[in-house]
Amino acid sequence: MFEIKRYSPDMKEAWDGFVKTSRQGTFLFERDYMDYHCDRFSDFSLMIYVKNKLFAVLPANRDGDMLYSHQGLTYGGLLTQWQATAETVCEIFQCINDFLKCEDIHRVVYKAIPWIYHRLPSEEDLYALVHVCKARLMARDIASTIVSSTNLKFTELRRRGSRKALQHQVTIEETTDLASFWDVLNANLQSKYHATPVHTLAEIRRLKDFFPRNIRAFVAKLGDETLGGVLVYVSNQVVHCQYISASPSGKALGALDLLFDTLIHHTFKDVPYFDFGKSTEQLGSYLNTKLIFQKEGFGGRGVCYDWYEWQL
């Protein structure tokens, strides 16, 4: 019933068009986003057809005899038509497994798309992973997400920080000047973790040029000084915090408290989900309790980002 083809650049228009109309697609799956790091990953994305009509796609890359969906993305997984059913998704995974065996791929690592990104309930893949692929859960990260309709209030600590920032005349603004925020972000990551952001400044500027409505930056400022900020990914129904950071003076003045107060209650108040991102490391085995405490103080509650694996 299904025909599987590997993605090639001449299929870009068909791929992107499908992503935009699928049940689970976000701009992260469009080729201008996926291909920015094509030099780091060997693309092995799959396109699944029924009677020459595109029915599903799987963003993926290959490393030796392993398939990942997709190492360069926060989440991955099968994107389907709205008409997809549990039975058809099970059949698709069986066909994918048969196809991968013929390609000498012996193991699959699959990042499921969290339910907050689904425009329609779309967890047929989770059923198929267990009952068709015999997959096991290999990693579970936890993120903190606000459901805007619940109106869960900030804790007093977060409200106090927001008031303090206002008293010191901290201002919040959207910016296209990513350099000042990247300076704060780099300094913070270096001092805490001896690390750098996943994206370079040049890469994030390029991605923002491709997706100006989806990738947006907001900063807290005192005069001309950038105290902190957040880079958000805006998709169909989720605002996701990709990078959050504040300088020592920004932390002292409650800059992020005021920033998130503004974004959650004003800028993005009509977006269904505001996702702060994960607070875990080491495939979810380490919970950063201080970090998740801050996010939960804004009203965020747990959404899991799961990885599965199976042998072929």
Side-chain angles (χ1 to χ4, degrees):
M1 178 179 177
F2 295 103
E3 180 186 8
I4 298 178
K5 298 179 182 179
R6 279 191 59 188
Y7 170 82
S8 60
D10 62 300
M11 299 172 171
K12 180 178 186 293
E13 184 176 352
W15 177 282
D16 286 347
F18 185 86
V19 167
K20 290 173 182 175
T21 59
S22 67
R23 288 158 60 175
Q24 315 91 333
T26 70
F27 75 96
L28 272 73
F29 298 120
E30 294 182 37
R31 299 310 308 196
D32 283 334
Y33 190 95
M34 286 184 62
D35 292 342
Y36 88 88
H37 46 29
C38 60
D39 57 322
R40 298 180 219 167
F41 304 105
S42 177
D43 191 86
F44 206 91
S45 298
L46 304 179
M47 303 178 76
I48 298 96
Y49 293 84
V50 175
K51 297 180 180 178
N52 296 317
K53 184 176 180 181
L54 193 55
F55 190 85
V57 301
L58 179 66
N61 69 282
R62 180 173 185 167
D63 185 3
D65 66 350
M66 294 181 60
L67 185 84
Y68 294 88
S69 73
H70 176 297
Q71 283 179 287
L73 301 176
T74 306
Y75 48 86
L78 189 74
L79 309 185
T80 59
Q81 278 189 352
W82 288 63
Q83 295 86 351
T85 63
E87 183 180 15
T88 57
V89 171
C90 286
E91 291 177 8
I92 286 171
F93 274 95
Q94 185 59 63
C95 290
I96 287 174
N97 287 342
D98 293 341
F99 179 85
L100 296 179
K101 288 176 186 177
C102 293
E103 295 288 334
D104 290 324
I105 289 174
H106 300 144
R107 181 176 168 227
V108 180
V109 174
Y110 183 95
K111 297 180 183 179
I113 303 170
W115 62 268
I116 55 176
Y117 293 96
H118 298 173
R119 300 185 213 181
L120 191 72
S122 301
E123 293 187 340
E124 293 88 356
D125 62 335
L126 301 187
Y127 179 84
L129 292 182
V130 173
H131 295 286
V132 175
C133 303
K134 310 304 179 185
R136 75 172 186 92
L137 180 67
M138 65 171 288
R140 169 166 283 169
D141 290 299
I142 189 166
S144 301
T145 302
I146 292 173
V147 180
S148 60
S149 60
T150 62
N151 196 30
L152 194 61
K153 296 186 182 302
F154 285 16
T155 62
E156 176 55 29
L157 182 62
R158 302 275 72 89
R159 292 199 297 269
R160 189 162 62 241
S162 183
R163 291 194 299 267
K164 185 176 184 180
L166 283 173
Q167 290 167 1
H168 285 83
Q169 298 184 325
V170 173
T171 59
I172 306 300
E173 62 185 56
E174 185 168 6
T175 184
T176 57
D177 175 23
L178 298 178
S180 61
F181 171 56
W182 233 247
D183 287 342
V184 173
L185 179 63
N186 269 311
N188 215 0
L189 289 175
Q190 282 289 339
S191 64
K192 274 190 172 183
Y193 307 108
H194 303 291
T196 57
V198 173
H199 301 89
T200 66
L201 179 57
E203 285 173 339
I204 206 68
R205 279 174 167 164
R206 180 167 174 259
L207 288 171
K208 184 167 172 52
D209 287 342
F210 278 126
F211 302 100
R213 291 182 297 177
N214 302 106
I215 300 177
R216 300 171 64 181
F218 297 85
V219 291
K221 302 188 76 171
L222 185 61
D224 293 330
E225 180 187 359
T226 298
L227 300 174
V230 59
L231 184 85
V232 295
Y233 281 11
V234 183
S235 55
N236 302 313
Q237 56 200 35
V238 180
V239 176
H240 170 76
C241 299
Q242 185 71 12
Y243 293 108
I244 305 169
S245 198
S247 66
S249 55
K251 294 173 184 176
L253 291 175
L256 291 183
D257 295 321
L258 179 60
L259 174 60
F260 285 122
D261 191 355
T262 303
L263 297 185
I264 293 164
H265 295 130
H266 300 283
T267 311
F268 296 114
K269 64 182 178 64
D270 295 324
V271 179
Y273 304 108
F274 191 96
D275 180 38
F276 285 99
K278 67 180 185 178
S279 300
T280 42
E281 301 169 28
Q282 302 169 20
L283 298 179
S285 63
Y286 171 74
L287 176 65
N288 187 328
T289 54
K290 290 183 179 179
L291 183 58
I292 201 167
F293 173 80
Q294 180 190 36
K295 296 171 181 179
E296 289 172 342
F298 294 115
R301 292 299 183 267
V303 170
C304 288
Y305 284 62
D306 289 348
W307 295 23
Y308 296 83
E309 67 171 349
W310 67 92
Q311 303 290 333
L312 295 172

